[in-house]
Structure formats: C-alpha cells, structure tokens
Amino acid sequence: MKTLFLSLLLLCSFSINARGSFVDYSESFDVFQLVDGISQWREGTPKEYRTYYEEKFSLSSADKEMLEVYKALREKYHKAYPKAQGSIFSEVALSADILSRTFASYKTLDRSLLTLKKKKLIEVKDIKTLVKIYKHFKKNISTIVRESSLLAQEAKRLESILKKSKVTNNIKKLDRFFDLPTNRIVGGRIKLVWWPQTDRPSIDFQAGRVILRMNPIKHAKLIDEEFLTQMLIHSLIISQGKTNKENFSKVFLENCPKIQEKGLVKDLWFEVPLIEALSKYYLPAAKLKKKFNPYTVKAESPWVDVYSKYLFGLVQYSVKNRVKFDRQFIATSANYCQNLLNL
C-alpha cells in the first residue's frame, strides 16, 4: 500500500522546482492555487483562474464532477479568520488552513502531499483524493506551470531588489514592532504564483505572508521596490487579530473622533498613512540614515502626506525603544490625528 501511495504521488510531479527564500516561487503552491481558483470552491476565490481555464481548455462534465469533490474536501479543512466589527482597518479575507500552509511551505507537490500524510494533518483517504484530482488536471495545468517557471527567475530579481534596499533586514524590526510570528513563516514571505495576463497583478494575504499573483510576461515591469514594501507593510497591519483590530479601532476613534467628519474613505483615516509612514519613510530612512529627507516624499492625498510624516517620527521612536504596536501607540497616533484636525 505504501509503495502504491508513493507511486501515485510521483505521478503528480509537474517537474518545476526553484530555489528561493524571502521571495519564493514553488511548483507546490502554484498548482495548489491554480486548482483552488479553477474550482471556485468558495466566495472570494479569484475568478480569473476559472475564466482563463474555461477559455483555454473548457471544462468537461468529468472536470466539473472532480471540482465538486475538491470543493467538499477544501470546505472540510478550511478555517477563515473572523472579521473584526467596527474596525477602521481594511478587512481583506485572511485564511491559513492546513492545506494552504502546507502547500506553501514545500517546493514540490509530492513533498507537500507526503508531509500531509506523515504528519497526519488530514485523513489519508483525503490525500488520495487530492492525488486523483491533481492527476486529473495535470495535462492542462502543466502547460500553465511551464510558463510559471519564469517566476523562479522573477523571485530572484525581486529578492535582489529587497536585499539591495536592505528591506529584508530592516523588516525584522517591524516584525517585532507588530509582535507577529512572521519569523516562523516557511517557504517565503512573498510567494509568487501564476496569474493570467490581466491589466495588473493581484495580491492576497495569508497570516503574514504575501501572495503575489503575477504573470511573468505581462506584470514584471509593474513590480518595483515601492510595490513590494507596501505589500509587506500591509500584510503586517491586516494580519492583526480580530480582538486587536476592534480594540485599536475603539481607542483611535475615542482619541480622534473628528476624523469621522473629514469625509475621507475609512482606510485613509489611519491605515494608509501608517503604510506610507513605514514603507516610504521608515524603511528608506533605515537604509539611508542621515541622508534621508522626509520632506522630499509626497503623497497624493494632502491628509496622508501630512499625517504620515507625524507617524514616521512616532514609528522611529517606538521601534528604537522597542515599543510595540499596542493601545498606547494607537492612542498617541490618534492624538496626532486630532491635533492636526484642530489646526
């Protein structure tokens, strides 16, 4: 039985392997995301995968039956984080179920499936079902994965950008500031996966990890240092737990009630200025030190432009003194907000 199981796994190999660390591409997560998207197993799953697959290959009745089986299996093991109520933070759908985490952590499909079996993370019968599903779609998905091989080189390029700008080193200080276990992420903080040739790439988040869906031919020129750092900072902010988001939102609005009268969309109240303060000010300043001039940085919104500069000073002080992203930090930020509105 064990030999049969292993032979079934080997039939799932899609023959693409790549190295990576902070920015990573892997066959395992790419194929997982493709089948996930084609299945449309839950609301919020990117529709572009299903649209592309139907236009290129079409979906037979056998395909649809297999996808229904997949949907039931995914629903069995999926756990979604509950959304915060009354939050001033953006509520991007976050999930970190055992299947998604495992396929993101290993290079090959075979290794991920064997890990699920060895660690008894899901039932053996469900692993065999996954093997059958991947075998069923292998022929068509392999043609997509061949194009995905270019993402291995793209991962190296993007990691080189982050290393040169010292983001990969300085982000560790912000990990501690937000008090998140991001140092435990295995398989890359930024995970590249294939995406059709749409106008723009797409971003999702997974418990501190950034999932960057991009087409290696169409989107490479759109992704630069600023794009990457903003993604990383956003992942830290929205990965705060439900209780933190609710409590922090109450503290902020108690100390800066006037923001609700300013006529801004909610993410501009605090979240976007904080992202700007960290990605456009703090990280560049950590690299350039005394050569950095915060007054050369401009934002599209006058409010964000001014408020982010105040938050930059607060972040610098907080990180240097090992202060956490906590109620006191939020209260001080809100006091700055209220004082600016009173000017």
Side-chain angles (χ1 to χ4, degrees):
M1 181 64 71
K2 183 177 180 181
T3 302
L4 175 61
F5 183 78
L6 288 172
S7 64
L8 284 172
L9 290 184
L10 291 171
L11 287 172
C12 284
S13 175
F14 285 73
S15 302
I16 295 295
N17 198 4
R19 299 177 64 187
S21 50
F22 196 89
V23 185
D24 183 64
Y25 167 78
S26 68
E27 165 213 292
S28 175
F29 198 54
D30 203 21
V31 174
F32 173 80
Q33 287 286 315
L34 282 165
V35 176
D36 234 37
I38 295 165
S39 72
Q40 287 295 289
W41 69 277
R42 73 181 180 102
E43 186 179 353
T45 305
K47 296 179 180 179
E48 287 83 349
Y49 287 121
R50 178 71 167 253
T51 300
Y52 176 87
Y53 192 91
E54 286 188 308
E55 289 177 354
K56 188 171 181 64
F57 305 109
S58 77
L59 280 172
S60 66
S61 57
D63 293 337
K64 293 176 181 178
E65 288 177 10
M66 194 65 76
L67 291 176
E68 284 300 311
V69 173
Y70 181 82
K71 177 181 178 181
L73 192 151
R74 287 293 278 124
E75 289 175 341
K76 180 177 179 179
Y77 294 103
H78 178 74
K79 293 180 181 179
Y81 291 117
K83 290 186 177 181
Q85 302 300 312
S87 172
I88 64 172
F89 300 95
S90 58
E91 287 295 335
V92 179
L94 294 173
S95 63
D97 58 73
I98 194 60
L99 287 174
S100 185
R101 281 202 307 272
T102 302
F103 282 97
S105 299
Y106 296 96
K107 285 295 183 185
T108 65
L109 213 60
D110 288 354
R111 179 70 186 277
S112 297
L113 291 163
L114 284 169
T115 299
L116 289 172
K117 179 177 183 291
K118 184 177 179 179
K119 294 186 177 181
K120 299 180 180 180
L121 299 175
I122 68 174
E123 296 178 31
V124 172
K125 66 175 183 178
D126 291 330
I127 298 174
K128 291 180 178 180
T129 299
L130 276 174
V131 171
K132 290 178 182 178
I133 292 168
Y134 289 134
K135 281 180 60 183
H136 178 85
F137 289 101
K138 179 181 177 181
K139 180 180 177 181
N140 290 338
I141 287 182
S142 289
T143 64
I144 300 174
V145 173
R146 279 195 288 273
E147 182 178 290
S148 292
S149 64
L150 297 174
L151 289 175
Q153 295 301 316
E154 185 63 10
K156 292 178 181 178
R157 182 184 76 85
L158 297 180
E159 178 145 3
S160 176
I161 289 174
L162 292 178
K163 283 185 176 179
K164 187 176 181 180
S165 61
K166 298 185 178 180
V167 170
T168 49
N169 288 329
N170 291 320
I171 197 72
K172 295 175 183 177
K173 295 178 182 178
L174 296 182
D175 290 342
R176 291 192 292 270
F177 171 62
F178 283 99
D179 201 22
L180 291 170
T182 40
N183 62 310
R184 301 177 190 171
I185 293 176
V186 177
R189 280 284 288 275
I190 300 176
K191 201 78 177 178
L192 305 188
V193 295
W194 183 89
W195 190 241
Q197 292 193 29
T198 55
D199 290 337
R200 294 191 61 80
S202 175
I203 304 166
D204 276 327
F205 301 97
Q206 180 197 69
R209 176 185 274 124
V210 176
I211 301 172
L212 174 54
R213 308 179 196 278
M214 63 173 290
N215 187 278
I217 298 172
K218 180 73 179 287
H219 300 139
K221 293 182 180 179
L222 300 176
I223 299 172
D224 55 15
E225 180 185 336
E226 182 177 329
F227 184 96
L228 294 170
T229 52
Q230 286 187 332
M231 285 194 316
L232 284 167
I233 298 304
H234 197 187
S235 72
L236 293 171
I237 295 172
I238 69 163
S239 294
Q240 297 294 307
K242 175 179 181 291
T243 301
N244 273 356
K245 287 181 180 179
E246 291 175 347
N247 290 338
F248 292 165
S249 298
K250 289 178 182 177
V251 171
F252 188 87
L253 293 175
E254 285 172 1
N255 288 275
C256 187
K258 276 193 173 182
I259 193 66
Q260 299 172 86
E261 304 167 9
K262 192 169 174 60
L264 296 170
V265 292
K266 191 175 289 186
D267 64 347
L268 292 181
W269 292 3
F270 175 61
E271 183 173 89
V272 171
L274 182 60
I275 291 173
E276 295 268 309
L278 293 166
S279 64
K280 291 187 177 181
Y281 294 86
Y282 176 78
L283 288 175
K287 174 191 174 185
L288 298 173
K289 302 188 184 302
K290 293 182 179 180
K291 293 181 180 179
F292 178 72
N293 181 1
Y295 296 100
T296 61
V297 181
K298 300 295 180 183
E300 293 183 9
S301 160
W303 166 253
V304 173
D305 187 54
V306 175
Y307 190 28
S308 60
K309 286 178 170 63
Y310 278 83
L311 291 177
F312 163 54
L314 179 59
V315 168
Q316 271 196 319
Y317 172 84
S318 300
V319 175
K320 182 179 179 180
N321 292 277
R322 301 194 177 187
V323 176
K324 300 292 186 182
F325 184 71
D326 56 12
R327 290 174 65 92
Q328 185 56 52
F329 179 89
I330 299 295
T332 304
S333 300
N335 287 334
Y336 287 161
C337 166
Q338 187 72 2
N339 290 336
L340 284 170
L341 294 174
N342 285 333
L343 292 177

